[in-house]
Amino acid sequence: MPRKTKLLANTLKAAKNEHDLSRYLDDLDQDESWIGFQDYYFSIPKVREQKVADIIVHSGLDRTYAYQILNGRRQNPGKDKIIRLCLAAGLDLEETQRALKVSGMPILYPRDKKDATVIFAIEHGLSVISTNELLYQNGLEVLN
């Protein structure tokens, strides 16, 4: 169990009543910095149901680099890499936004043209390749 998770488990174990539990849960809603991308990513049932190798192939990322992200050895992979992995696993917008948030990346912003296009792609279940084609057709930078 990762150190942060162990600390959280001990804090939760020390909760003496429902009020302590409620306060603990509220704190989790306020600050998700305790969880890393890989912990969150693998907590999603859609991700666990798929082979990691298949997700990596669909992401279009370098295999070694992707494995480093997913096993936590590569910290701060960047917004585009997170989005690629989310698209590859077929995550919905809420799951993708949370993945970005726990990674310390800015969430997708509908007023930004690239972000709006990515939101559209997520909502329509597009692949990484189709998303990049859509970005390119609209004169926007593709996901790197």
Side-chain angles (χ1 to χ4, degrees):
M1 185 179 303
R3 178 192 276 187
K4 291 178 184 179
T5 304
K6 198 176 258 186
L7 177 63
L8 286 168
N10 289 337
T11 303
L12 183 57
K13 188 175 183 179
K16 300 195 184 323
N17 54 44
E18 289 179 25
H19 176 72
D20 288 349
L21 173 62
S22 179
R23 192 172 67 229
Y24 173 84
L25 295 175
D26 287 342
D27 288 346
L28 283 180
D29 285 340
Q30 296 300 315
D31 179 19
E32 293 181 329
S33 64
W34 58 269
I35 188 171
F37 169 73
Q38 68 280 2
D39 293 328
Y40 171 68
Y41 192 71
F42 287 111
S43 74
I44 302 169
K46 244 182 259 181
V47 172
R48 289 195 314 264
E49 293 169 359
Q50 299 178 55
K51 292 180 182 177
V52 173
D54 291 342
I55 292 172
I56 290 172
V57 167
H58 290 102
S59 76
L61 294 172
D62 173 75
R63 187 175 61 88
T64 302
Y65 186 77
Y67 274 112
Q68 289 173 347
I69 293 169
L70 294 175
N71 68 23
R73 279 189 275 146
R74 176 72 69 169
Q75 299 297 319
N76 306 317
K79 185 175 180 176
D80 283 0
K81 306 293 191 275
I82 301 292
I83 293 169
R84 281 174 162 269
L85 289 167
C86 291
L87 285 168
L91 301 188
D92 64 26
L93 182 58
E94 183 179 331
E95 293 163 331
T96 302
Q97 295 285 48
R98 185 160 182 224
L100 290 165
K101 185 176 176 184
V102 300
S103 301
M105 295 292 122
I107 62 171
L108 296 166
Y109 183 58
R111 285 186 166 240
D112 179 270
K113 288 182 179 183
K114 179 178 178 178
D115 285 357
T117 304
V118 170
I119 290 169
F120 176 88
I122 292 168
E123 294 288 359
H124 289 86
L126 300 182
S127 68
V128 172
I129 292 171
S130 295
T131 301
N132 275 340
E133 288 174 356
L134 190 60
L135 288 164
Y136 182 79
Q137 289 169 1
N138 286 289
L140 302 167
E141 184 180 326
V142 298
L143 298 170
N144 60 34

